[in-house]
Amino acid sequence: MHNTFQIKTFEEYLEVYQNSISEPEKFWADIASHFQWHKTWDNVLEWDFTKPQIKWFEGAQLNITINCLDRHLPEKANHTALIWEPNSPNDSYRTYSYQSLFNEVCRMANVLKLMGIKKGDRVCIYMPMIPDLAFAILACARIGAIHSVIFAGFSANSISDRIIDSHCKHIITADAMSRGAKQIPVKAVVDEAIENIDFIENVLVINHQNWPVIYKENRDISYDILKQKVSVECEAEMMQAEDELFILYTSGSTGKPKGVVHTCGGYMVYTGYTFANVFQYQSKDIYWCTADIGWITGHSYMIYGPLLNAATTLMFEGVPNFPDPGRFWQVIDKHHVNIFYTAPTAIRSLMACGIEHVLPYNLSSLKTLGTVGEPINEEAWQWYFDHIGKGKCPIVDTWWQTETGGILLSALAGISPIKPTHAGLPLPGIQPVLLNSDGNEISENNVEGYLAVKFPWPSMIRTTWGDHERCRMNYFDTYKGYYFTGDGAKRDENGLYRIIGRVDDVINVSGHRFGTAEIENAINQTPNIVESAVVGFPHDIKGQGIYAFVVVENFTTDIENLKMQIIETIVEKIGRIAKPDKIQIISGLPKTRSGKIMRRILRKITEGEIENLGDTSTLLDPLIVEEIIKGRI
Ligand code: PRX
């Protein structure tokens, strides 16, 4: 491969894009031929959005780790694959060449085999941001096990739901982790999660911090012991293109997170291709994506995309404001980072800390900046462009989703037009449309509508684990013949897309997705709570904050204590990342006569739009709206 599919000019982009939609199969077959396949495909694409059934490169065989690692060894064995920057700047960073990463991955793959893990088995990975997490992911892929990474901020309860849903008999974890000044046990959370699950066969424990860990006999095993017993050679398992590569759970509008399934061949082709093109990665560039591997961005653009391109990828264990809000900029200077990819929420929070935390750093290594996860506001965009990019680095605002596997809308850095707050044009092979509420395509520009995609791309969701109907209902049923994203968008006069936000009951808090029902389910399990309604409200730093309206059974005067109990329940049921920003105790929810909660009214109240609530007279109890307005926080 080695970047021969990198587009170099805007004219070339226009031509490639045109070809990619007029002859998509030919286009993707060409791109795919840049990768290493054990056997090539019989058929490029077979698809039917009504079922949905999507098959890319059927009949082909491959292993993605051969493409991420083995393939680069002849020429790049000593080239740095991974730089690991620890939580504390006083600790030493580590680097892994392609050869040493290959050895580590094979070693761990052999350990997984020793544990009895086989092709097709699901493996739950619950770990801090340490190199072993990358090894674990790639080791699973090496032996054909399906990894299911769970972000380390999720609670025991969330882990256990996910383990049960995909029946993971094997878990990889670590003793403990550091996040800023805090040290947090990790293995103990796993212990709690699996206490009542009887099918767990083993838990592999990585020692990261010498934290005391209780090993359960015949179940828990230390990696340090097992790794002594294996070699650093491990032949890659041959996978069919449509075999599952991983599951990643994400929130939707229903209460239960769903396991988005990605498959080997298409995911490889799309993440490899888009990484090279969006970021315009050049050999020897140092690339840093700040996302946690627990989210799709970490999977696609910290691990797979960069490694498929023989890139140098930086992994950071810590947080942006530790030991001070200059940490990101310090790390950029320290490692001479050329391409920096982060979330708007991080930019906004660092911007709020003041320019004095940026000024001590030079940042001259930077060539390209990127954002992902949520809409970026004009002010944050400008600050990022002026103060971090020093006015010379293009910002790629990349729009995509867990379900899309890779970036669908974005500028190509330095090549396509950049317009602040706009994700921009579709990548080659992507056919976005805006639909009106009747589900008809709006063909002109300068319009707003529901964002959907009308043709498959290689890394799109194949199913939701264990429940294909849910996948159909969620993404392919609302607008027949389309993949529906759940987002609303605008298209400007030049065809550039701007994402407005979710149009379903999903809240995007600091780029993390939560279903309102998921949070409500948790709140309702607090003693003395009758029901609740959760909505997102505009938040200066997080993009959206969580506002919970809660109805209690017996009114209490100790509101603060009640709020604390609610927060504790959410932390227990979901995790600390889902804590509401505001909780308002009310005597009833605004409902229609048929009992439907009027979230639109609640949303408007939280946005301060109380003049503009529409007709409330048809509500079951119109007075409730007055009460809520008076008590709003
Ligand atoms: O609403 C969109 C928003 O994040 C959602 C997808 O969330 P998730 O699956 O967690 O993946 C996040 C990282 C890919 C989308 O439906 N979103 C993502 N990127 C952008 C965005 N909103 C605006 N601009 C973006 N660049």
Side-chain angles (χ1 to χ4, degrees):
M1 171 177 67
H2 300 124
N3 294 349
T4 47
F5 53 36
Q6 220 170 32
I7 294 167
K8 284 286 154 223
T9 62
F10 188 54
E11 290 64 39
E12 193 189 343
Y13 159 79
L14 293 174
E15 191 189 323
V16 170
Y17 183 77
Q18 203 46 51
N19 294 339
S20 77
I21 61 168
S22 50
E23 290 186 278
E25 297 194 19
K26 179 172 178 305
F27 171 76
W28 285 116
D30 273 0
I31 301 298
S33 68
H34 291 274
F35 295 82
Q36 193 170 318
W37 304 82
H38 180 66
K39 173 180 173 301
T40 117
W41 47 91
D42 303 321
N43 196 10
V44 177
L45 171 65
E46 198 188 309
W47 68 291
D48 177 351
F49 275 181
T50 58
K51 291 183 177 162
Q53 189 186 65
I54 298 120
K55 291 185 182 170
W56 281 94
F57 311 114
E58 243 209 320
Q61 290 176 2
L62 76 151
N63 186 291
I64 195 168
T65 68
I66 292 184
N67 284 272
C68 288
L69 301 168
D70 312 42
R71 191 168 52 127
H72 308 315
L73 295 184
E75 284 176 21
K76 301 205 164 165
N78 297 324
H79 187 89
T80 305
L82 181 68
I83 302 172
W84 179 71
E85 172 67 24
N87 177 61
S88 164
N90 302 325
D91 293 342
S92 319
Y93 70 93
R94 290 186 226 158
T95 60
Y96 296 85
S97 65
Y98 270 89
Q99 182 68 56
S100 56
L101 180 60
F102 172 83
N103 294 350
E104 294 292 352
V105 169
C106 289
R107 195 195 325 266
M108 197 176 290
N110 282 330
V111 164
L112 301 187
K113 281 199 209 163
L114 211 60
M115 288 161 65
I117 302 178
K118 297 192 177 60
K119 180 175 178 173
D121 284 349
R122 274 79 59 209
V123 177
C124 164
I125 302 178
Y126 185 74
M127 278 171 74
M129 286 283 285
I130 55 176
D132 309 71
L133 169 53
F135 309 158
I137 286 177
L138 295 164
C140 286
R142 185 100 185 151
I143 65 167
I146 303 168
H147 54 79
S148 168
V149 181
I150 302 175
F151 172 61
F154 279 116
S155 68
N157 204 70
S158 293
I159 303 171
S160 113
D161 286 350
R162 287 158 172 77
I163 287 178
I164 293 169
D165 187 75
S166 47
H167 204 84
C168 297
K169 294 180 289 188
H170 310 276
I171 301 170
I172 309 176
T173 190
D175 52 349
M177 65 178 177
S178 294
R179 302 275 298 159
K182 281 186 273 181
Q183 208 181 10
I184 306 165
V186 177
K187 163 72 163 56
V189 183
V190 170
D191 288 341
E192 192 189 333
I194 60 178
E195 209 177 325
N196 298 316
I197 304 180
D198 57 13
F199 56 76
I200 304 295
E201 291 180 8
N202 37 41
V203 179
L204 182 68
V205 186
I206 313 287
N207 176 25
H208 174 46
Q209 300 197 319
N210 291 323
W211 182 279
V213 164
I214 300 166
Y215 280 86
K216 187 169 169 191
E217 230 185 298
N218 298 326
R219 190 196 70 183
D220 302 349
I221 322 153
S222 156
Y223 184 58
D224 286 341
I225 296 175
L226 283 193
K227 74 179 185 192
Q228 315 288 342
K229 303 187 181 174
V230 298
S231 77
V232 292
E233 272 158 38
C234 174
E235 207 175 311
E237 186 74 35
M238 271 316 134
M239 309 297 288
Q240 297 292 327
E242 280 298 329
D243 280 342
E244 296 95 343
L245 174 63
F246 67 85
I247 305 170
L248 187 58
Y249 284 85
T250 190
S251 297
S253 29
T254 49
K256 205 172 129 234
K258 45 190 180 255
V260 171
V261 174
H262 286 291
T263 55
C264 297
Y267 180 82
M268 170 178 80
V269 170
Y270 197 78
T271 53
Y273 178 68
T274 51
F275 175 79
N277 277 294
V278 169
F279 299 103
Q280 290 290 308
Y281 185 85
Q282 302 301 317
S283 181
K284 304 230 168 74
D285 279 351
I286 312 279
Y287 163 87
W288 180 17
C289 163
T290 68
D292 193 286
I293 294 181
W295 311 111
I296 191 69
T297 309
H299 284 58
S300 303
Y301 297 110
M302 187 190 311
I303 303 290
Y304 288 115
L307 297 180
L308 285 164
N309 285 278
T312 302
T313 182
L314 191 148
M315 176 194 244
F316 175 44
E317 184 187 24
V319 291
N321 56 1
F322 178 82
D324 62 59
R327 186 68 192 280
F328 272 3
W329 324 129
Q330 180 253 334
V331 172
I332 289 174
D333 275 2
K334 176 174 172 184
H335 296 290
H336 310 289
V337 171
N338 307 110
I339 305 172
F340 179 65
Y341 189 33
T342 195
T345 190
I347 299 167
R348 286 190 296 262
S349 72
L350 295 175
M351 182 172 92
C353 293
I355 193 69
E356 63 274 22
H357 295 287
V358 182
L359 294 177
Y361 304 100
N362 171 311
L363 303 179
S364 61
S365 56
L366 287 173
K367 294 198 303 194
T368 297
L369 302 174
T371 67
V372 59
E374 43 175 329
I376 182 162
N377 49 312
E378 188 106 32
E379 196 193 351
W381 191 97
Q382 206 59 52
W383 186 87
Y384 195 33
F385 186 74
D386 292 342
H387 297 291
I388 307 306
K390 312 288 185 201
K392 65 175 174 55
C393 303
I395 300 178
V396 287
D397 176 349
T398 63
W399 175 86
W400 57 298
Q401 310 177 297
T402 306
E403 296 85 345
T404 68
I407 300 166
L408 300 199
L409 301 176
S410 169
L412 309 184
I415 289 177
S416 6
I418 300 261
K419 185 171 173 188
T421 77
H422 287 64
L425 295 171
L427 294 192
I430 303 303
Q431 301 190 34
V433 291
L434 293 180
L435 303 176
N436 64 20
S437 43
D438 299 328
N440 296 320
E441 281 182 34
I442 315 172
S443 56
E444 53 283 14
N445 280 345
N446 260 329
V447 285
E448 184 174 327
Y450 299 113
L451 180 63
V453 189
K454 70 172 176 194
F455 195 85
W457 63 99
S459 66
M460 71 184 297
I461 181 173
R462 298 300 196 268
T463 189
T464 43
W465 184 264
D467 192 349
H468 191 65
E469 176 59 9
R470 199 164 169 213
C471 173
R472 190 188 68 78
M473 287 289 292
N474 261 291
Y475 308 105
F476 299 93
D477 192 52
T478 322
Y479 300 108
K480 306 273 187 279
Y482 298 93
Y483 164 80
F484 177 47
T485 64
D487 278 339
K490 286 184 178 167
R491 191 170 51 221
D492 78 359
E493 60 284 5
N494 298 314
L496 270 61
Y497 285 85
R498 173 187 193 155
I499 306 300
I500 301 166
R502 302 289 304 196
V503 293
D504 53 7
D505 289 326
V506 167
I507 314 183
N508 189 332
V509 186
S510 303
H512 301 156
R513 261 166 79 170
F514 298 101
T516 51
E518 191 184 348
I519 303 175
E520 287 159 10
N521 286 349
I523 294 178
N524 298 350
Q525 292 176 52
T526 316
N528 195 22
I529 303 298
V530 184
E531 60 177 343
S532 58
V534 164
V535 297
F537 72 98
H539 188 290
D540 284 350
I541 304 285
K542 300 178 178 183
Q544 278 191 301
I546 301 175
Y547 197 127
F549 295 92
V550 177
V551 183
V552 292
E553 194 167 345
N554 299 306
F555 193 76
T556 159
T557 46
D558 196 354
I559 299 283
E560 286 317 307
N561 185 34
L562 179 66
K563 288 185 180 178
M564 226 146 71
Q565 281 180 30
I566 293 171
I567 290 175
E568 270 167 26
T569 317
I570 293 174
V571 171
E572 183 200 323
K573 301 289 172 201
I574 305 175
R576 57 182 186 277
I577 49 172
K579 277 191 208 168
D581 299 273
K582 297 182 181 184
I583 301 175
Q584 184 178 348
I585 311 294
I586 53 178
S587 63
L589 288 166
K591 289 185 180 170
T592 60
R593 298 220 167 105
S594 60
K596 192 170 168 283
I597 300 171
M598 294 297 285
R599 285 170 195 284
R600 185 179 48 80
I601 293 182
L602 293 174
R603 238 177 267 136
K604 288 216 158 137
I605 295 175
T606 63
E607 286 162 7
E609 278 201 49
I610 44 180
E611 309 302 325
N612 190 15
L613 294 182
D615 183 13
T616 54
S617 63
T618 55
L619 292 178
L620 199 59
D621 178 3
L623 290 180
I624 219 63
V625 174
E626 290 303 312
E627 179 199 316
I628 296 176
I629 292 174
K630 264 201 215 117
R632 76 184 194 276
I633 303 167

